[in-house]
Amino acid sequence: MNTPAVGRRGSADWFRARLISREKQTPTGRTLRFDVPGWPGHRPGQHLDVRLTASDGYQAVRSYSLAAPTNGPTVELGVQTAPGGEVSPYLNDVLPDNAEVEVKGPLGGWFVWTPQLKGPLILIAGGCGIVPLMAMLRARRAADPTSDTCALLCSVRSPQDLWYADELSAPSGNETIRVLYTRHAPGGASRPTGRLTASDLEDLPTSPKARCYVCGPTGFVEHAADLLQSQGQPPDTIRTERFG
């Protein structure tokens, strides 16, 4: 794509967003932070649209999850480079610091969690599906991490594919965090590599009072949701978000 420039707002929902930092999470995943004057705020689990406009007027729009709770005009996105993509590779590796794009949001009202929602919290992520779940985990930590139990289960191919490794290595309050490796595990790992199984869910705080959020590739999400139900978790307590 040609170097994009911020075009005129198509509606009142489009905001100018200036890139203020970029952080490597995995070989193909980045945290991008933007300054968005006038941002109305958002709830953990929501997403936004990013619009790039080329010099010839061509536009491309993609959706990305918000990775952190509301923080004034600063929004944090998790962007996974899509092979052959025209937006994510540009955002992750080409867009200059202080360059502007357009964003629209916040979007989505189903896959959301706030500290006001009581009961055990179960988060299950496949790969970069952890991005919106991280917003929930961070919001919980900022509110009262000792209130209700919280369990995060993250499935990745190998250690280098784990997002937010430093933050996840230090559970807070009543948190339980487990990482499952499907292809390559670090030395000393007690669990053999492989896909998510029913036994991996046995220690989760499943109950009719629990709230479950599952995010990742479509196949992973469907498999995880089925396993949760097989463990007795009511379907109406499970919310899913999928990609691919």
Side-chain angles (χ1 to χ4, degrees):
M1 165 172 285
N2 296 329
T3 302
V6 176
R8 296 179 179 177
R9 290 186 183 180
S11 72
D13 293 328
W14 287 101
F15 300 89
R16 293 177 179 270
R18 178 176 61 87
L19 179 65
I20 56 177
S21 71
R22 177 188 283 114
E23 178 184 352
K24 180 178 179 180
Q25 292 290 344
T26 72
T28 55
R30 305 284 185 270
T31 287
L32 303 179
R33 296 181 182 89
F34 291 88
D35 177 59
V36 187
W39 181 250
H42 58 272
R43 290 177 290 168
Q46 291 188 295
H47 61 278
L48 55 68
D49 285 347
V50 175
R51 181 166 72 183
L52 304 182
T53 304
S55 57
D56 62 1
Y58 174 76
Q59 293 184 326
V61 179
R62 299 290 186 274
S63 296
Y64 297 104
S65 294
L66 292 149
T70 290
N71 181 22
T74 301
V75 299
E76 179 178 322
L77 306 182
V79 179
Q80 176 75 31
T81 297
E86 61 179 359
V87 175
S88 58
Y90 185 87
L91 291 176
N92 276 353
D93 300 311
V94 181
L95 183 68
D97 289 345
N98 294 312
E100 290 187 336
V101 297
E102 290 178 292
V103 299
K104 181 180 182 180
L107 304 173
W110 169 253
F111 194 81
V112 296
W113 179 88
T114 65
Q116 289 71 37
L117 298 174
K118 302 302 181 180
L121 179 62
I122 297 175
L123 309 174
I124 301 180
C128 63
I130 194 173
V131 173
L133 305 185
M134 199 63 191
M136 299 178 188
L137 189 68
R138 288 167 166 171
R140 177 184 178 276
R141 288 178 172 180
D144 183 6
T146 64
S147 57
D148 294 305
T149 57
C150 173
L152 168 64
L153 197 60
C154 186
S155 175
V156 295
R157 293 180 179 181
S158 67
Q160 69 173 0
D161 297 308
L162 179 62
W163 290 61
Y164 314 112
D166 289 343
E167 287 185 71
L168 297 183
S169 67
S172 176
N174 292 332
E175 288 177 5
T176 300
I177 296 176
R178 283 191 290 143
V179 182
L180 313 180
Y181 301 95
T182 61
R183 295 189 181 180
H184 303 287
S190 59
R191 179 189 182 275
T193 57
R195 71 184 305 204
L196 183 71
T197 67
S199 62
D200 294 318
L201 276 58
E202 290 177 352
D203 295 333
L204 298 183
T206 52
S207 79
K209 295 183 179 180
R211 298 177 184 273
C212 306
Y213 296 84
V214 186
C215 185
T218 297
F220 173 86
V221 169
E222 293 177 350
H223 178 63
D226 287 344
L227 289 179
L228 282 169
Q229 292 182 58
S230 73
Q231 297 289 102
Q233 190 64 37
D236 62 355
T237 66
I238 304 171
R239 299 196 175 189
T240 62
E241 185 168 271
R242 63 199 74 197
F243 54 82

